[in-house]
Amino acid sequence: MPLPPERAPVPDQAEPLVPAQEYLPESGRLGWAITRLARLFAVGIIIAMAVLVVEIFLRYVFNSPTIWAHETTTFLSAVTFIFGGLFCVTRNSHIRVVLIYDMVSRRARRVLDVLISMASLLACLFFAWASWLMVKKAMFRPDGSFFLETSGSAWNSPAPALLKIFLLVVMVTMSIQFLILTVNYLRRPLRTGGDSDA
């Protein structure tokens, strides 16, 4: 028998959980593309786990360990973590201290958004330059001939060189992303918080 209206349970008045934003609108089309590409890198973690399972099985059941499993899982994990920084920028979910940011007005927050993006852009450009210096050493011998740096292990894969190249690509892309954020924060209408796209 249903309860009378005055005795019916009161629905939970808490606000419903809002799903995490897929990407920051100010990130533009590049942010959208990075978010879609992230699914591919997420699969890399699953592949790394599968490789470890195979390695454990081969090592402890057949006493026949591989020479490639450790380097493969390290490479896949490293690539995913490097890409994770770029992914966090597009979602505005990187670690930050917001004590002052939360206390100021919306106009001041807009100024801070621009300044933070510009400072991050400058930092990324410095890191991209440092990455390029590493890539040059990892891709070319002292005489200028092309040669990818290898791990020096039994498998001797070119994973170290590939990781450095990937880091350079990510740092350049992150610099472009912070430039887009800076421009779009400057163009964003103050009251509507618009979704301008660069």
Side-chain angles (χ1 to χ4, degrees):
M1 178 175 178
L3 296 173
E6 64 274 12
R7 297 185 60 191
V10 179
D12 187 8
Q13 298 298 321
E15 293 183 7
L17 292 175
V18 179
Q21 192 173 14
E22 192 168 342
Y23 74 102
L24 189 65
E26 286 82 1
S27 296
R29 293 183 183 92
L30 179 61
W32 179 88
I34 290 168
T35 303
R36 294 298 182 272
L37 191 59
R39 297 172 184 174
L40 175 64
F41 288 91
V43 173
I45 293 293
I46 298 173
I47 295 173
M49 179 204 67
V51 169
L52 283 176
V53 170
V54 169
E55 171 65 10
I56 291 170
F57 185 76
L58 291 175
R59 177 181 294 270
Y60 295 105
V61 175
F62 293 105
N63 195 27
S64 179
T66 67
I67 62 171
W68 52 267
H70 176 71
E71 288 184 34
T72 301
T73 54
T74 301
F75 176 79
L76 290 172
S77 300
V79 164
T80 303
F81 277 105
I82 290 171
F83 185 84
L86 180 59
F87 180 69
C88 288
V89 171
T90 65
R91 292 171 56 96
N92 197 26
S93 59
H94 45 83
I95 297 173
R96 58 185 177 178
V97 179
V98 294
L99 180 62
I100 297 175
Y101 187 88
D102 287 344
M103 294 172 57
V104 298
S105 66
R106 182 175 295 183
R107 185 179 300 274
R109 287 184 188 182
R110 180 183 181 183
V111 173
L112 288 175
D113 285 336
V114 173
L115 293 176
I116 291 169
S117 296
M118 290 176 65
S120 299
L121 169 60
L122 184 62
C124 284
L125 289 173
F126 278 118
F127 283 121
W129 174 251
S131 298
W132 166 242
L133 296 179
M134 288 193 309
V135 166
K136 282 199 303 183
K137 292 180 180 179
M139 289 182 61
F140 301 101
R141 291 189 178 100
D143 63 359
S145 59
F146 178 79
F147 179 77
L148 290 178
E149 176 186 1
T150 57
S151 61
S153 65
W155 191 33
N156 204 29
S157 74
L162 296 177
L163 276 177
K164 292 173 183 178
I165 294 169
F166 183 69
L167 177 61
L168 174 61
V169 171
V170 167
M171 294 314 304
V172 170
T173 307
M174 195 179 293
S175 300
I176 296 170
Q177 181 65 90
F178 275 120
L179 178 61
I180 292 172
L181 286 170
T182 302
V183 171
N184 281 342
Y185 281 136
L186 285 169
R187 292 169 53 189
R188 181 176 62 185
L190 185 60
R191 292 189 177 181
T192 62
D195 299 342
S196 56
D197 193 3

